[in-house]
Amino acid sequence: MTTAARASPGARRRAGAGAVSRAQHRARVPADAALILIGACFVLPLLWLVLASLDVSAGHEARLPARVSLDNFAAIMTPGLLFQPLWNSMLLSAGTAAVNLIAAVLAAYPLSRYQSRFNRPFMYTILFGTCLPITAIMVPVYGLFVQLDLLDSMAATIFFMATTTLPMAIWMTKNFMDAVPVSLEEAAWVDGASGLTALRTIVLPLMRQGLGVVFIFVFIQAWGNFFVPFVLLLSEARQPAAVSIFSFFGQHGAVAYGQLAAFSILYSVPVLALYVIVARGAGSSFALSGAVKG
Amino acid sequence: MATTTPQRLRTVNRLHPHLRRQARLLPVLPAVLLLLVFLAGPVLWAFHASFTNAALTGRNARSPGWVGLENYQRLITDPVLPLSLVLTVVFVGGSAILGQNLLGLALALLMKRARRPVAAVVGTAVVAAWVLPEIVAAFAAYAYFSRDGTLNQILGGLGFGQPDWLYSFPMVAIMLANIWRGTAFSMLVYRAALDDVPGEVTEAALMDGASGWQRLAYVTIPMIRSSIATNLMLITLQTLAVFTLIWVMTAGGPANASTTLPVLAYQEAFKFGDIGYGTAVASVLILIGLVFGAAYVRLLRGSKG
């Protein structure tokens, strides 16, 4: 084989790279323009939210406020309107995430550590469970709650909400746990530690970050959930922000759009912040690691 | 997936090996109990209740009577049901399978070509609509499409007509809103998938003189086929279950013009107090979900060989 022949693949690759980068350069301007146009369409509905929150006489339209003020925010900062519902959201979401995490960690441990012929069928059955349209089971769940006298119970609502996100949480937790090598636990086992002791002292500390991701992921879902508490929690004192904001909007005759927007922003900030934390730590496709990649 | 039981463990726990093996599965119990009580239970209860005349209030609330197939007979003759089925198909087909899916793919492809900061900023805008709590997204969409909302402001500024979207074209409005709300998911799936396509393959196609569209159709799309299938399945299921967006924007109206199956089930059960009939509608939706769920699991198992 001649030197020329040997050199040719490299040369071809270089030429290829040049052609590709030239093609990319040419494509860049239209791609930028198209993206900016689409991005603008996505921003427009959000623009209203921000502008209206600063505008005391806001309506449906997005417009620059005649006078920028924080009056809307000041008006809603009352215990009944904002703090109690937010506190309820907090209890509901943290409770849901905690129940979820405990059940998911316990379930993931044997699934990850011991081989059993139940593992695969179990994992696929719960994956199948994630496909249930939750809105479809709300009517039967309401019926069940009536029969068991659980309506308007914060605890029961927490357990139900935890269950709806549990399949996803088990998949994610198991994936994180599979990444912790079994060899680290073997020494503990030989020393007579039980599986659960090994889980607590060795596995969990090593997958702290993964557990954080699962917790935040479930928390975000619970925080944003409207339909479940809307159906299951009746008394105003227990309703989370998602439901109270809806009654605030739907039942009062004249809607104060500025206040609605201000409430929406204050209610959204925690989940936006949590999302940023998780996206930074685990890559923006964190939410998909559980379901899609299996 | 494959984890091996350490050989040592078997020798340590030689006593009652069978019992021990069973006991190891005990920690799964809390999760199984929750899933049985709060997911499997309601589903079974739904199929049962759909054969009764359970009501929200009154005598039938506490002791519902068995009515056999009455609810389903009513379902078949109810003129709203076919309409609601069609609306659900239009909603899922238009906003998920076409809208979110194609726009998500287009965004992911454009982001690969565009300048990095542009891609990052636009990506954030798209994801923001997705991360917002659903009720907030629904309010924003309601304001956007309302008669004097931002959309009509823009249309007016460009010299077009300004229809009352939520009243005259409710399905168009909720479909566009759902595309706005949900495209981020498809975009993230496709970005991850495109990142896994080796650069040499597209380069080789480029060297062979393939045009942009040819590379997309014959190289990129076939290589991300399994991501496309997974994505389609998941967004179909998500969109099938959309309730809050529609409830806030149109509440199923005007005159049932945007009543998809979840909205219909809710209305029958809670507005008209007919739990039995509501669960019959919900059962139809659950069955559709189960069919898609089975297909999804098969797909994932198949892709893993």
Side-chain angles (χ1 to χ4, degrees):
Chain A
M1 202 179 254
T2 63
T3 9
R6 240 185 288 136
S8 76
R12 190 145 31 108
R13 204 174 309 132
R14 268 196 300 283
V20 170
S21 71
R22 244 177 291 130
Q24 276 175 347
H25 263 291
R26 249 178 295 141
R28 211 162 251 185
V29 176
D32 284 352
L35 267 187
I36 290 169
L37 190 70
I38 299 174
C41 294
F42 274 81
V43 169
L44 279 173
L46 294 176
L47 206 59
W48 170 81
L49 217 53
V50 177
L51 292 176
S53 73
L54 301 171
D55 189 347
V56 182
S57 52
H60 287 129
E61 74 280 18
R63 55 156 201 202
L64 288 174
R67 187 175 65 89
V68 174
S69 81
L70 294 176
D71 290 357
N72 290 323
F73 289 92
I76 55 165
M77 293 248 190
T78 66
L81 211 51
L82 184 75
F83 298 121
Q84 181 67 35
L86 278 186
W87 173 246
N88 290 341
S89 289
M90 181 75 203
L91 280 182
L92 210 55
S93 313
T96 301
V99 170
N100 219 309
L101 203 59
I102 294 169
V105 163
L106 286 175
Y109 187 69
L111 291 170
S112 170
R113 282 341 192 210
Y114 306 123
Q115 241 177 0
S116 156
R117 64 202 150 91
F118 297 116
N119 285 6
R120 261 174 167 275
F122 181 77
M123 290 305 279
Y124 282 115
T125 307
I126 60 168
L127 186 67
F128 183 54
T130 55
C131 298
L132 265 183
I134 295 301
T135 43
I137 68 165
M138 281 323 291
V139 181
V141 165
Y142 178 85
L144 187 79
F145 272 50
V146 169
Q147 298 279 317
L148 302 176
D149 245 334
L150 292 174
L151 269 190
D152 206 23
S153 151
M154 201 79 166
T157 308
I158 285 175
F159 278 108
F160 173 66
M161 283 173 79
T163 310
T164 59
T165 36
L166 190 56
M168 184 74 90
I170 293 178
W171 271 85
M172 289 171 79
T173 313
K174 182 183 172 294
N175 283 343
F176 284 123
M177 209 176 270
D178 284 347
V180 179
V182 187
S183 56
L184 294 172
E185 289 148 84
E186 284 180 351
W189 282 335
V190 171
D191 289 342
S194 71
L196 288 183
T197 313
L199 170 68
R200 189 165 46 82
T201 55
I202 295 164
V203 185
L204 290 186
L206 284 172
M207 53 182 292
R208 221 171 347 185
Q209 223 181 356
L211 294 178
V213 169
V214 178
F215 188 91
I216 293 178
F217 178 71
V218 175
F219 188 97
I220 290 179
Q221 295 231 316
W223 184 272
N225 201 324
F226 163 76
F227 196 33
V228 174
F230 180 59
V231 171
L232 297 182
L233 293 176
L234 307 177
S235 59
E236 215 170 298
R238 293 200 182 84
Q239 278 167 0
V243 180
S244 77
I245 193 182
F246 179 72
S247 22
F248 171 66
F249 176 72
Q251 284 164 8
H252 299 240
V255 180
Y257 289 101
Q259 293 181 21
L260 176 80
F263 191 119
S264 298
I265 288 177
L266 290 178
Y267 164 53
S268 306
V269 164
V271 288
L272 293 178
L274 285 176
Y275 179 83
V276 170
I277 292 174
V278 174
R280 279 264 168 82
S284 56
S285 56
F286 80 94
L288 317 170
S289 62
V292 181
K293 293 190 175 156
Chain B
M1 198 86 211
T3 47
T4 50
T5 315
Q7 199 60 46
R8 262 188 220 136
L9 195 73
R10 287 208 193 104
T11 50
V12 169
N13 299 331
R14 197 168 286 154
L15 251 139
H16 305 300
H18 187 71
L19 257 171
R20 283 226 165 244
R21 214 167 299 142
Q22 302 292 317
R24 278 181 202 153
L25 287 173
L26 273 181
V28 182
L29 268 186
V32 170
L33 274 179
L34 280 176
L35 291 167
L36 282 180
V37 173
F38 289 112
L39 273 187
V43 171
L44 294 177
W45 194 88
F47 290 130
H48 168 79
S50 65
F51 294 102
T52 70
N53 61 1
L56 199 57
T57 52
R59 197 160 49 86
N60 292 341
R62 279 286 158 184
S63 51
W66 186 264
V67 295
L69 284 171
E70 203 177 275
N71 285 323
Y72 288 97
Q73 274 162 359
R74 199 178 134 199
L75 205 64
I76 296 170
T77 51
D78 190 342
V80 181
L81 188 86
L83 171 70
S84 148
L85 265 174
V86 169
L87 289 177
T88 308
V89 170
V90 169
F91 181 59
V92 172
S95 69
I97 296 175
L98 289 178
Q100 292 179 7
N101 183 47
L102 293 184
L103 186 58
L105 180 61
L107 277 167
L109 287 166
L110 284 170
M111 283 170 147
K112 265 194 110 62
R113 295 187 170 198
R115 259 173 276 262
R116 196 167 289 207
V118 176
V121 169
V122 174
T124 307
V126 176
V127 168
W130 180 60
V131 180
L132 277 183
E134 53 180 342
I135 192 89
V136 174
F139 282 141
Y142 172 81
Y144 184 73
F145 284 103
S146 63
R147 190 173 197 111
D148 49 359
T150 313
L151 177 61
N152 276 347
Q153 244 180 306
I154 297 169
L155 290 178
L158 295 173
F160 291 107
Q162 295 157 274
D164 190 345
W165 293 95
L166 296 172
Y167 192 81
S168 311
F169 309 102
M171 281 309 285
V172 175
I174 63 171
M175 277 159 63
L176 286 174
N178 190 46
I179 293 172
W180 169 71
R181 165 89 172 141
T183 296
F185 184 83
S186 302
M187 181 189 82
L188 292 174
V189 170
Y190 288 136
R191 284 199 79 176
L194 289 180
D195 282 344
D196 288 344
V197 174
E200 300 91 62
V201 183
T202 30
E203 266 174 41
L206 187 68
M207 293 302 293
D208 291 341
S211 73
W213 288 112
Q214 282 173 327
R215 267 177 288 150
L216 181 65
Y218 298 115
V219 181
T220 312
I221 300 264
M223 288 198 77
I224 61 169
R225 201 189 297 136
S226 74
S227 293
I228 296 176
T230 309
N231 183 52
L232 280 177
M233 204 68 80
L234 290 174
I235 59 176
T236 298
L237 285 161
Q238 284 162 9
T239 305
L240 209 53
V242 167
F243 171 84
T244 308
L245 199 64
I246 303 176
W247 190 248
V248 170
M249 288 178 72
T250 66
N256 293 326
S258 59
T259 303
T260 58
L261 282 176
V263 178
L264 182 65
Y266 177 84
Q267 280 181 337
E268 291 297 345
F270 298 115
K271 236 170 117 183
F272 307 127
D274 195 341
I275 299 273
Y277 189 56
T279 44
V281 177
S283 299
V284 174
L285 192 55
I286 291 174
L287 278 179
I288 299 175
L290 291 181
V291 169
F292 273 96
Y296 174 54
V297 171
R298 271 186 76 100
L299 188 82
L300 276 193
R301 293 181 85 144
S303 72
K304 267 188 219 151

